[in-house]
Amino acid sequence: MKPRILLFNTTADDLLDVQGHLSDSIYEVTAVTSQLSDISRAALTGSIDIVMAVTEKRFDQLFSCIQQINVQNPIPVIVFTYEDSRDVIQAAIKVGVSAYIVDGLQAKRIVSIIDTACFRFNEQQLIKEELERTKNTLSERKIIDKAKGIIMQRSKISENEAYKAMRKMAMNKNIKMVDLAKSIISASEILA
């Protein structure tokens, strides 16, 4: 199945040449609209894979919509415009626009621009996922270390012995170390 594009157009241009190039490519324009609510609805229901916005105005509303999408169901968003304000470009990047193209909407270039934006989006998603895993691992490590400290203090044993005891208990109960650590912390707070 071809990646599905929603074309958001608030300009006077009909963009038929752009749509023609896209229909001859690996992409498919499944909807054309000038309503922001259509973008949200389509993106959040998963009926589109990419948003291509061609606009000269309503940046605050568009960027708010993109930010909502990126929180709930991230997809690549490509913005074509004539607006080259540094503030607008910075706002676009901040909300997660995959490509912001100023004065560059040419039918013959459209496929490579979308390809690049999609590749960039996918790389950014991988980085975000890795960052989230790293944050979770660090958070779990802090919880385990806190529980280990509680065991060391109460049982008057070394850090290594406390860790081995926790690992053995987690294996015996067939639970994750972090879940055991949370139980130890909770029990300690009750007994305090």
Side-chain angles (χ1 to χ4, degrees):
M1 183 168 73
K2 290 182 167 190
R4 302 160 297 172
I5 296 176
L6 179 140
L7 179 54
F8 174 73
N9 182 11
T10 61
T11 68
D13 303 332
D14 62 18
L15 305 179
L16 293 177
D17 55 339
V18 170
Q19 291 181 56
H21 263 73
L22 289 171
S23 66
D24 293 339
S25 73
I26 66 163
Y27 300 104
E28 173 185 9
V29 176
T30 57
V32 179
T33 186
S34 61
Q35 301 299 313
L36 285 169
S37 59
D38 293 340
I39 297 175
S40 295
R41 186 173 25 267
L44 298 177
T45 60
S47 62
I48 59 168
D49 304 304
I50 301 163
V51 172
M52 184 177 138
V54 182
T55 188
E56 298 170 356
K57 56 184 177 179
R58 297 181 3 188
F59 289 104
D60 291 341
Q61 295 165 334
L62 175 62
F63 293 164
S64 177
C65 177
I66 293 167
Q67 190 169 29
Q68 177 191 7
I69 291 167
N70 279 329
V71 168
Q72 297 179 8
N73 184 27
I75 60 174
V77 177
I78 300 106
V79 174
F80 291 89
T81 186
Y82 292 103
E83 179 60 60
D84 63 355
S85 159
R86 291 176 61 88
D87 293 339
V88 174
I89 294 169
Q90 184 176 17
I93 298 304
K94 199 172 198 171
V95 299
V97 169
S98 303
Y100 187 91
I101 312 299
V102 177
D103 195 19
L105 182 58
Q106 298 171 4
K108 64 183 178 183
R109 296 179 52 218
I110 197 72
V111 173
S112 61
I113 290 171
I114 293 173
D115 285 345
T116 303
C118 289
F119 295 146
R120 180 173 185 257
F121 172 82
N122 291 334
E123 285 300 312
Q124 285 179 324
Q125 289 306 110
L126 290 173
I127 291 168
K128 285 179 183 179
E129 290 167 8
E130 180 63 30
L131 177 61
E132 194 59 37
R133 281 192 299 273
T134 303
K135 284 180 180 179
N136 288 339
T137 300
L138 181 60
S139 175
E140 289 176 0
R141 173 55 50 205
K142 287 179 181 179
I143 293 167
I144 291 169
D145 285 347
K146 183 175 181 180
K148 192 169 38 172
I150 292 168
I151 292 173
M152 289 167 54
Q153 184 180 31
R154 298 218 179 197
S155 302
K156 308 289 187 223
I157 59 176
S158 72
E159 181 178 356
N160 192 33
E161 291 170 319
Y163 181 79
K164 285 180 180 177
M166 286 177 62
R167 187 176 64 191
K168 182 178 179 185
M169 186 180 289
M171 287 172 54
N172 288 343
K173 293 184 177 253
N174 197 26
I175 60 174
K176 293 180 179 181
M177 281 280 283
V178 70
D179 293 333
L180 174 66
K182 288 176 183 177
S183 297
I184 291 168
I185 294 168
S186 293
S188 171
E189 289 170 353
I190 290 171
L191 298 174

